[in-house]
Amino acid sequence: MPLEFAHQHSGQFPDPGPWRHPPARPLELSAPLGLETLPVQRFSKVRRAAFALNLMVVGESGLGKTTFMNTLFNTDLKEEILPKKIHSTQTVDIQPSYYELVEDGVLLNLCIVDTPGFGDELNREHNLTPLIQYIDQQYEEYMAAERHPGVRKAIPDTRIHAVLYFIAPTGHGLKELDVKALKTLSQKANVIPLIAKADTMTAEEKVAFKSLLMRDLEAHEIKTFPSSYPEQVDGAEELMKYIPFSVIGSDSYAVVGNRRVRARSYRWGVVEVENAEHSDFVHLRELLLATCLHDLVESTHGVHYHEHRAKALRSNGRPASILECDDRYESQIEGTRLQTRHDMERKEEEIRQKFIEKVQDKEIALREREERLNATKSDMVAELEHYKVLLEAQQREVDELMANSPPNSMSSMSKSSSKLFKAK
C-alpha cells in the first residue's frame, strides 16, 4: 500500500529543501473568519514598537553636514554632533549620537554617526579605516547577540543602515578620495551620494555635474542606494532619477508669500530648502523616511550583514557549500527553476521548429507527387482524346465506305467474312 500510494502521488509532494515548507494548497472559505483584521492587528503592534534608523554622515568639513541633518529631521541636532576643529585631531573621529523622534505616536530611534576629520588631512590614506572598523564592529556585535543564548527579545540594531556621503560642488567630478571612499563603503553599507551646498550652482551646472558624477559612479562600478538594490527596494522608481541628490541645509527661516519656510536668503533672492525646483531635499527626505526606511533596514540585514556574516563563518572553517545553503538556498532553487523552465521552453521551441520543418517537407513532397500525378493524368487524358479522335475518324471512314458500297458487294463481303471466321 505505501508503494502504491507513492506511485499514485508521485511529484505531488516535492522536497522543499532545508528550512522550507512545501507549497500550501489554496482553499475557499465557506464563512468569514475575520482574517481581514490581521493587518490591523499587525499595524497596531508595529505602531507601538520603535523604529530604528542609523545614519553615518561622511564628507569633508565645511560642506554643511550638521546644518543639513538639522534640516532633514526638522529639529536641532547640532549640540550633539558639532564637528571638531580640523587641527584638533590627526585622525578621523567617530561620534555616534542617539535621539528619539515622535510623530503622531510613532517613535523613531535615530542614530547619527558623525565623522569629523574625514578628508581634512594632507595624508588621507587611512581616513577610511575608522569608518570601516566602526561598521564592522556593529556587525560583529549583532552577530554575537544572535549567538548568545541569553538574548530572547529583539536585538538592538546599531548597524549602519545608510551612509550619506557629501560631495563638494566642484563641478569637476569625483576626487580620488571620493572614489576610494564610495567604492569601499558601498561594499559595507547602503551609500547615498549627496551634492552639498546645491545653492552655489545654477540649474544648468547641477544637471551637468550630476551627469558627470553618474558617469564616474558607473565607470568605477560604485553601488548606490536605491538603484543598485532593485530586489530589496519597492516603490522608489521615481526617486532614482534624482541620484545623486543635490541638497541644501538651513537653520534659518524666511517668509515667502504667506508661508514661513526654511530658506537661505541672498541679495539676489531666497532659496527654499523644501522647494523641488531649488534642490532635491524633499525627494531625499521622501526616500529616507516615507518610502525606503524599511527597505534600508532590510537591505542592510539581507545583503550587507549576511555578506559579513558569511565571510566571518568562512574564516572559522565553515564550508562554503553550507553557507550557500544557509543564505542563498531559495535564490539557488529559484535560479535552477528558471533555468529549467528556459531550457524546457528552448527544447519545446526546437521540437516545434523541427516538427514544422518535417511537416513543411512532407507537404512539399506531397505537393510534388500531386503535381506529377496531375501531369500523368493530363497526359493520359490527352492520349485518350487523341485515340478517341482517331477512332471517330476511322468510324466515319467505315460508315462512308459502307454507305458508298453497292448491296451485292456488301452481301459478298458478309459471306466472305463468315467463311473467314469459319476457317479460323
Side-chain angles (χ1 to χ4, degrees):
M1 182 64 183
L3 181 60
E4 181 181 355
F5 178 85
H7 284 302
Q8 291 176 354
H9 297 82
S10 176
Q12 296 186 13
F13 304 99
D15 181 16
W19 315 294
R20 297 293 187 276
H21 295 288
R25 182 165 58 94
L27 298 175
E28 294 184 1
L29 300 178
S30 59
L33 296 177
L35 299 180
E36 69 277 1
T37 63
L38 295 180
V40 179
Q41 300 176 30
R42 186 65 176 268
F43 173 78
S44 301
K45 184 176 180 180
V46 171
R47 186 181 178 89
R48 289 194 301 269
F51 294 85
L53 178 62
N54 305 322
L55 300 177
M56 176 176 282
V57 184
V58 182
E60 301 175 1
S61 299
L63 295 180
K65 300 188 297 295
T66 301
T67 303
F68 173 77
M69 300 308 296
N70 295 343
T71 308
L72 181 63
F73 293 100
N74 284 331
T75 187
D76 190 5
L77 307 176
K78 63 182 181 181
E79 295 182 0
E80 297 292 338
I81 58 173
L82 281 174
K84 293 184 177 182
K85 295 181 181 180
I86 297 177
H87 301 292
S88 63
T89 181
Q90 295 184 0
T91 59
V92 178
D93 195 11
I94 303 296
Q95 296 181 353
S97 302
Y98 301 92
Y99 309 91
E100 288 186 355
L101 305 180
V102 181
E103 182 182 11
D104 294 335
V106 179
L107 174 63
L108 175 65
N109 290 330
L110 176 65
C111 175
I112 304 295
V113 180
D114 196 17
T115 57
F118 178 83
D120 296 334
E121 305 174 26
L122 293 178
N123 185 7
R124 304 174 180 179
E125 182 178 356
H126 302 291
N127 277 191
L128 280 173
T129 303
L131 279 63
I132 300 302
Q133 288 177 348
Y134 180 84
I135 295 175
D136 288 341
Q137 180 184 353
Q138 308 315 307
Y139 289 152
E140 290 293 336
E141 292 178 358
Y142 193 91
M143 188 164 60
E146 284 184 330
R147 296 174 174 178
H148 198 283
V151 177
R152 292 292 181 267
K153 297 183 179 180
I155 302 173
D157 192 0
T158 60
R159 298 169 297 181
I160 298 299
H161 300 139
V163 176
L164 302 182
Y165 192 90
F166 286 77
I167 302 172
T170 60
H172 302 300
L174 294 175
K175 302 177 183 178
E176 182 179 355
L177 175 63
D178 295 333
V179 172
K180 182 179 179 181
L182 287 169
K183 195 171 184 64
T184 305
L185 292 172
S186 63
Q187 297 173 357
K188 294 288 185 177
N190 303 314
V191 173
I192 303 176
L194 308 179
I195 301 176
K197 295 186 175 182
D199 53 334
T200 61
M201 309 177 73
T202 64
E204 293 78 9
E205 290 174 342
K206 281 190 290 186
V207 171
F209 191 40
K210 278 190 174 186
S211 177
L212 185 59
L213 291 179
M214 287 301 299
R215 188 162 62 247
D216 289 346
L217 292 173
E218 294 175 0
H220 294 92
E221 299 180 351
I222 297 173
K223 294 183 179 181
T224 59
F225 187 91
S227 56
S228 299
Y229 304 88
E231 297 181 357
Q232 284 76 26
V233 178
D234 185 22
E237 291 78 9
E238 290 297 323
L239 299 174
M240 293 182 186
K241 62 183 179 182
Y242 298 104
I243 298 175
F245 296 91
S246 58
V247 296
I248 304 171
S250 176
D251 290 329
S252 58
Y253 292 83
V255 178
V256 179
N258 296 326
R259 299 178 299 115
R260 184 172 180 267
V261 296
R262 283 184 179 268
R264 301 183 71 91
S265 300
Y266 298 95
R267 289 180 298 176
W268 45 266
V270 176
V271 178
E272 300 179 39
V273 173
E274 300 183 15
N275 190 333
E277 296 180 357
H278 296 171
S279 73
D280 300 328
F281 177 85
V282 292
H283 303 303
L284 176 63
R285 176 184 283 172
E286 180 182 358
L287 175 74
L288 288 176
L289 301 177
T291 304
C292 295
L293 190 149
H294 182 71
D295 296 330
L296 284 168
V297 178
E298 287 296 317
S299 60
T300 299
H301 181 79
V303 178
H304 301 290
Y305 171 68
H306 271 213
E307 290 181 356
H308 179 88
R309 175 176 173 271
K311 184 177 179 181
L313 292 176
R314 287 193 185 97
S315 64
N316 294 332
R318 192 173 188 183
S321 59
I322 299 180
L323 293 173
E324 295 292 333
C325 191
D326 287 347
D327 299 333
R328 297 182 176 86
Y329 177 82
E330 187 174 355
S331 62
Q332 286 182 343
I333 292 298
E334 183 64 23
T336 304
R337 186 182 296 114
L338 291 175
Q339 184 63 35
T340 304
R341 185 185 306 167
H342 292 160
D343 293 341
M344 293 300 295
E345 291 176 352
R346 178 178 54 80
K347 291 181 180 179
E348 182 180 358
E349 181 65 21
E350 291 177 356
I351 294 173
R352 191 175 69 86
Q353 292 296 334
K354 290 181 179 179
F355 176 76
I356 292 175
E357 291 177 359
K358 289 183 178 181
V359 170
Q360 291 176 349
D361 294 340
K362 192 66 175 179
E363 288 180 349
I364 293 173
L366 291 175
R367 194 177 299 113
E368 292 177 352
R369 184 179 179 184
E370 183 181 6
E371 291 176 355
R372 289 196 300 269
L373 291 175
N374 290 333
T376 304
K377 179 182 177 181
S378 300
D379 295 340
M380 295 179 67
V381 169
E383 187 177 0
L384 288 174
E385 289 294 332
H386 176 67
Y387 285 128
K388 183 178 180 181
V389 172
L390 292 177
L391 289 175
E392 289 177 353
Q394 291 178 359
Q395 182 66 36
R396 284 194 300 270
E397 290 179 0
V398 172
D399 292 342
E400 290 177 359
L401 183 60
M402 292 179 66
N404 295 331
S405 298
N408 295 331
S409 62
M410 292 296 298
S411 60
S412 62
M413 289 178 61
S414 61
K415 291 179 179 179
S416 60
S417 62
S418 62
K419 290 179 179 181
L420 179 62
F421 281 114
K422 288 179 180 180
K424 290 182 177 181

